[in-house]
Amino acid sequence: MNAKSFWPKLVPWRKDYRKADLPADALAAIIVTILLIPQSLAYAMLAGLPAQMGLYASILPLLAYAIFGSSRVLAVGPVAIISLLTASTISQYAGEQAIAAALLLAFLSGAVLLTMGLLRLGWLASLLSQPVMSGFITGSALLIAISQLKHFLAIPVSGHNLPEMFSTFLQASDQFNGVALLVGLLSLGLLLLCRRYFSTLLKHFGLSTDTANLLGKAGPILAVALAILGVQLFKLDQAGLSIVGQIPAGLPTLQLPETNWPLIQELLPAAIMISLIGFVESVSVAQSLAAKRRQRIEANQELMGLGAANIAAACSTGYPVTGGFARSVVSYEAGAVSPMAGVFTAFGIAITTLFLTPIFFFLPHATLAATIIVAVSTLIEWRSIIDTWRFSRIDFAALLCTLLFVLLQGVEAGIMAGVGISLALHLWKTSRPHIAEVGLVPGTQHFRNKDRHKVICSGAVLSARVDESLYFANIRYLEDALYGEAISREGIEHVVLMCSAINSIDYSALEGLESLNERLHHAGIQFHLSEVKGPVMDQLKQSNFLSDISGKVFLSQYQAFNQLCNELDATLTPRI
């Protein structure tokens, strides 16, 4: 196989890539590289790892994703949430052991993602509902922002939740450093001003709106440059200000993480959680950007791309990565056409690690902390919380519980609690399905809820519709509701269950229907079904239910109502 036929098959976007797209991808790469350098350093600090590991995690992972991923503009690398999860997972280790744990965590995350991709398990991400993700992301963003105050105050605060952080803060509050607070606040103020006014200022100098908006993203670089200059001019490091210090120059060493089976067993649960959360975050960003260009994202291919990126991170002294929101949006707005922009970005970061690391020697940790706070502030979804409260109290309960668990118990407990609460609330909600007595809309063959419409009902035929599939959690409620309503009315001879909203039944539901049929039969009432969907009918045919039912199975509710009323010559009563 020659190169011309090999590369399009290995890299799908390569087949329609044009040389004319190179300038756009190169420009986007320059902008993203400028954004990514301070972010990579800051997120490595957030993960509790040496600064250079943030840069290393932004080289080979980008190349791996460019080969195997499906998004054309997604920018892969360290992100805040995954860095926080990494820090929480490896916090019990120190020094070289922590680095080894981070490498192995990235490798396990990549292996989990690749396995999910090969098994086409992209649907597993749906287990994390949007309210749970909103609560998790908002809680994590608040936790990240609060955790960075230790760099503002120069107090060695530790812990994975608010109570632990507050406790250690009180114990070490005497170590407060005013210089660190001043540098942190100035950096934070500058970053916020750049975010709000820098683009407008650039427009006054004659730059186009698009160019000004793109260059406005370079605020972190400006803050970093001024902070480094300030430390050198005023020798703030001699006043107790914590700085990054020496960052080893050169490209990362390529090697597989050391196999440590006891450590693998300890890290695997966290790796699975990081994989799911990283996948959900990445796919949501990729899909929203792809939709703007009428492109498609293949969820299972994304699993392969992210898996390969994490394996690459593990083999190049990085740590777990995923698609980042901020840098992906910047890449999109900068005009990136293909993953080639990620390839160029990887080369830009590589050049930085080779030649530019001495520049960051005097970079204050307080400035990196300010960068993190400003970055995660966009993740706090206040609007989503308000909208969820208005739309569904049940979903809001899941969101709020997830958020509180993240803040009070930590990120792992938060996401596990959110998933558990969502499943529990779903079971509770579907265990009491909406059951409506329906009647015939005059002049039509349609049946509607008698409490909402003016319809015709029969004193001898009870027509009911259940708006839920039937399974073990709700069949007893349906059985008791229909039986209780039928025997409580005088003259009821038939019960017709309208099945238009039933998409499936399980074995427990089948037994419940058989029990309801038997109970009604003993009461002298015939039980009928109408509008049974094909898959449900196929299930019923695999049992004895159709031969044991006391009544019939009708094609439509109108047919059932009309035939039974004619047979009984039943009185029809309009109801409002």
Side-chain angles (χ1 to χ4, degrees), residues 53 56 60 96 99-104 106-107 251-259 310-319:
M53 290 186 67
Y56 296 162
L60 281 190
E96 292 298 324
I99 294 175
L103 298 181
L104 191 55
F107 187 85
L251 296 175
T253 302
L254 300 181
Q255 61 182 12
L256 287 172
E258 182 180 348
T259 302
N310 277 277
I311 295 292
C315 296
S316 58
T317 324
Y319 69 97

Short mmCIF file of all heavy atoms in Angstrom, two decimals, residues 53 56 60 96 99-104 106-107 251-259 310-319:
data_model
loop_
_atom_site.label_atom_id
_atom_site.label_comp_id
_atom_site.label_asym_id
_atom_site.label_seq_id
_atom_site.Cartn_x
_atom_site.Cartn_y
_atom_site.Cartn_z
N MET A 53 4.98 18.76 33.11
CA MET A 53 4.09 17.68 32.71
C MET A 53 2.84 18.22 32.00
O MET A 53 2.24 17.52 31.17
CB MET A 53 3.69 16.83 33.92
CG MET A 53 4.84 15.99 34.46
SD MET A 53 4.35 14.85 35.78
CE MET A 53 3.27 13.72 34.89
N TYR A 56 4.11 18.62 28.49
CA TYR A 56 4.27 17.31 27.86
C TYR A 56 2.92 16.72 27.45
O TYR A 56 2.82 16.05 26.41
CB TYR A 56 4.96 16.34 28.82
CG TYR A 56 6.38 16.72 29.19
CD1 TYR A 56 7.00 16.17 30.32
CD2 TYR A 56 7.11 17.62 28.43
CE1 TYR A 56 8.30 16.51 30.66
CE2 TYR A 56 8.42 17.97 28.77
CZ TYR A 56 9.00 17.41 29.89
OH TYR A 56 10.28 17.75 30.23
N LEU A 60 2.28 15.02 22.29
CA LEU A 60 1.88 13.78 21.63
C LEU A 60 0.37 13.52 21.67
O LEU A 60 -0.18 12.98 20.70
CB LEU A 60 2.63 12.60 22.24
CG LEU A 60 4.07 12.40 21.78
CD1 LEU A 60 4.61 11.07 22.28
CD2 LEU A 60 4.19 12.46 20.27
N GLU A 96 8.34 11.20 42.96
CA GLU A 96 8.37 10.32 41.80
C GLU A 96 7.22 9.34 41.80
O GLU A 96 6.74 8.93 40.74
CB GLU A 96 9.71 9.55 41.77
CG GLU A 96 10.92 10.43 41.51
CD GLU A 96 10.84 11.10 40.14
OE1 GLU A 96 10.34 10.46 39.19
OE2 GLU A 96 11.28 12.26 40.01
N ILE A 99 4.25 11.04 40.25
CA ILE A 99 4.41 11.11 38.79
C ILE A 99 4.11 9.75 38.16
O ILE A 99 3.39 9.67 37.15
CB ILE A 99 5.84 11.58 38.44
CG1 ILE A 99 6.04 13.01 38.90
CG2 ILE A 99 6.08 11.45 36.94
CD1 ILE A 99 7.46 13.52 38.71
N ALA A 100 4.63 8.68 38.77
CA ALA A 100 4.36 7.34 38.25
C ALA A 100 2.87 7.02 38.29
O ALA A 100 2.33 6.42 37.36
CB ALA A 100 5.16 6.30 39.05
N ALA A 101 2.20 7.44 39.35
CA ALA A 101 0.76 7.21 39.47
C ALA A 101 -0.01 7.98 38.39
O ALA A 101 -0.98 7.47 37.81
CB ALA A 101 0.27 7.60 40.86
N ALA A 102 0.43 9.22 38.11
CA ALA A 102 -0.24 10.03 37.09
C ALA A 102 -0.07 9.41 35.71
O ALA A 102 -1.01 9.36 34.90
CB ALA A 102 0.31 11.45 37.10
N LEU A 103 1.12 8.90 35.40
CA LEU A 103 1.36 8.25 34.11
C LEU A 103 0.50 7.00 33.97
O LEU A 103 -0.11 6.76 32.92
CB LEU A 103 2.83 7.87 33.98
CG LEU A 103 3.86 9.01 33.99
CD1 LEU A 103 5.27 8.45 33.82
CD2 LEU A 103 3.56 10.01 32.89
N LEU A 104 0.44 6.21 35.03
CA LEU A 104 -0.34 4.98 34.98
C LEU A 104 -1.83 5.30 34.90
O LEU A 104 -2.59 4.61 34.21
CB LEU A 104 -0.05 4.13 36.21
CG LEU A 104 -0.60 2.70 36.21
CD1 LEU A 104 -0.12 1.93 34.97
CD2 LEU A 104 -0.16 1.95 37.48
N ALA A 106 -3.13 7.90 33.38
CA ALA A 106 -3.38 8.27 31.99
C ALA A 106 -3.46 7.03 31.11
O ALA A 106 -4.32 6.93 30.22
CB ALA A 106 -2.30 9.21 31.49
N PHE A 107 -2.56 6.08 31.35
CA PHE A 107 -2.55 4.86 30.55
C PHE A 107 -3.84 4.06 30.77
O PHE A 107 -4.46 3.58 29.80
CB PHE A 107 -1.34 4.00 30.91
CG PHE A 107 -1.15 2.80 30.02
CD1 PHE A 107 -0.46 2.91 28.83
CD2 PHE A 107 -1.69 1.57 30.37
CE1 PHE A 107 -0.29 1.82 27.99
CE2 PHE A 107 -1.53 0.47 29.54
CZ PHE A 107 -0.83 0.59 28.35
N LEU A 251 12.42 17.71 25.16
CA LEU A 251 11.22 16.94 24.90
C LEU A 251 11.06 15.83 25.93
O LEU A 251 12.05 15.38 26.53
CB LEU A 251 11.27 16.35 23.49
CG LEU A 251 11.28 17.36 22.35
CD1 LEU A 251 11.45 16.64 21.02
CD2 LEU A 251 10.00 18.19 22.35
N PRO A 252 9.83 15.36 26.15
CA PRO A 252 9.62 14.31 27.14
C PRO A 252 10.24 12.99 26.72
O PRO A 252 10.37 12.69 25.53
CB PRO A 252 8.08 14.19 27.20
CG PRO A 252 7.61 14.69 25.89
CD PRO A 252 8.56 15.78 25.51
N THR A 253 10.58 12.19 27.71
CA THR A 253 11.10 10.84 27.45
C THR A 253 9.96 9.92 27.04
O THR A 253 8.88 9.94 27.64
CB THR A 253 11.77 10.28 28.72
OG1 THR A 253 12.81 11.17 29.12
CG2 THR A 253 12.35 8.90 28.46
N LEU A 254 10.19 9.13 26.01
CA LEU A 254 9.16 8.21 25.53
C LEU A 254 9.37 6.83 26.13
O LEU A 254 10.38 6.17 25.88
CB LEU A 254 9.20 8.12 24.00
CG LEU A 254 8.99 9.43 23.24
CD1 LEU A 254 9.04 9.19 21.73
CD2 LEU A 254 7.66 10.08 23.63
N GLN A 255 8.42 6.41 26.97
CA GLN A 255 8.49 5.07 27.56
C GLN A 255 7.15 4.72 28.15
O GLN A 255 6.35 5.59 28.52
CB GLN A 255 9.56 5.02 28.65
CG GLN A 255 9.32 5.97 29.81
CD GLN A 255 10.43 5.91 30.84
OE1 GLN A 255 11.47 5.33 30.60
NE2 GLN A 255 10.18 6.50 31.99
N LEU A 256 6.86 3.42 28.22
CA LEU A 256 5.62 2.95 28.80
C LEU A 256 5.67 3.11 30.32
O LEU A 256 6.74 2.98 30.93
CB LEU A 256 5.39 1.49 28.45
CG LEU A 256 4.98 1.18 27.01
CD1 LEU A 256 5.00 -0.33 26.78
CD2 LEU A 256 3.61 1.76 26.71
N PRO A 257 4.53 3.41 30.96
CA PRO A 257 4.51 3.48 32.42
C PRO A 257 4.89 2.13 33.03
O PRO A 257 4.63 1.07 32.44
CB PRO A 257 3.05 3.83 32.74
CG PRO A 257 2.50 4.39 31.49
CD PRO A 257 3.22 3.71 30.37
N GLU A 258 5.47 2.17 34.18
CA GLU A 258 5.88 0.95 34.87
C GLU A 258 4.66 0.17 35.33
O GLU A 258 3.71 0.75 35.89
CB GLU A 258 6.75 1.31 36.08
CG GLU A 258 7.28 0.10 36.83
CD GLU A 258 8.13 0.49 38.02
OE1 GLU A 258 8.49 1.69 38.12
OE2 GLU A 258 8.45 -0.38 38.85
N THR A 259 4.67 -1.13 35.07
CA THR A 259 3.55 -1.99 35.48
C THR A 259 3.62 -2.26 36.98
O THR A 259 4.61 -2.79 37.47
CB THR A 259 3.56 -3.32 34.71
OG1 THR A 259 3.51 -3.03 33.31
CG2 THR A 259 2.37 -4.18 35.10
N ASN A 310 -4.75 9.70 25.46
CA ASN A 310 -4.32 9.41 26.83
C ASN A 310 -3.19 8.40 26.88
O ASN A 310 -2.28 8.50 27.72
CB ASN A 310 -5.52 8.91 27.65
CG ASN A 310 -6.36 10.04 28.20
OD1 ASN A 310 -6.05 10.62 29.23
ND2 ASN A 310 -7.43 10.37 27.49
N ILE A 311 -3.21 7.42 25.98
CA ILE A 311 -2.07 6.49 25.90
C ILE A 311 -0.81 7.26 25.52
O ILE A 311 0.28 7.02 26.08
CB ILE A 311 -2.36 5.38 24.86
CG1 ILE A 311 -3.53 4.50 25.32
CG2 ILE A 311 -1.11 4.54 24.64
CD1 ILE A 311 -3.25 3.66 26.52
N ALA A 312 -0.94 8.19 24.58
CA ALA A 312 0.20 9.00 24.17
C ALA A 312 0.70 9.85 25.33
O ALA A 312 1.91 10.03 25.51
CB ALA A 312 -0.18 9.89 22.99
N ALA A 313 -0.22 10.39 26.14
CA ALA A 313 0.18 11.18 27.31
C ALA A 313 0.96 10.32 28.30
O ALA A 313 1.97 10.75 28.86
CB ALA A 313 -1.05 11.78 27.98
N ALA A 314 0.48 9.10 28.51
CA ALA A 314 1.14 8.20 29.46
C ALA A 314 2.54 7.83 29.00
O ALA A 314 3.44 7.63 29.83
CB ALA A 314 0.30 6.94 29.65
N CYS A 315 2.73 7.73 27.70
CA CYS A 315 4.03 7.31 27.16
C CYS A 315 4.98 8.49 26.97
O CYS A 315 6.13 8.29 26.55
CB CYS A 315 3.83 6.60 25.83
SG CYS A 315 2.90 5.05 25.96
N SER A 316 4.53 9.71 27.26
CA SER A 316 5.38 10.88 27.06
C SER A 316 5.39 11.77 28.30
O SER A 316 5.44 12.99 28.20
CB SER A 316 4.91 11.68 25.84
OG SER A 316 3.55 12.07 25.99
N THR A 317 5.31 11.14 29.46
CA THR A 317 5.40 11.83 30.76
C THR A 317 4.33 12.90 30.91
O THR A 317 4.59 14.01 31.41
CB THR A 317 6.80 12.46 30.96
OG1 THR A 317 7.79 11.61 30.40
CG2 THR A 317 7.11 12.64 32.44
N GLY A 318 3.11 12.57 30.48
CA GLY A 318 1.99 13.47 30.67
C GLY A 318 1.03 12.92 31.71
O GLY A 318 1.39 12.03 32.49
N TYR A 319 -0.17 13.42 31.72
CA TYR A 319 -1.22 12.91 32.61
C TYR A 319 -2.55 12.98 31.88
O TYR A 319 -2.59 13.48 30.74
CB TYR A 319 -1.21 13.66 33.95
CG TYR A 319 -1.66 15.10 33.90
CD1 TYR A 319 -2.97 15.45 34.22
CD2 TYR A 319 -0.78 16.12 33.57
CE1 TYR A 319 -3.38 16.77 34.21
CE2 TYR A 319 -1.18 17.44 33.55
CZ TYR A 319 -2.49 17.76 33.87
OH TYR A 319 -2.90 19.07 33.85
#
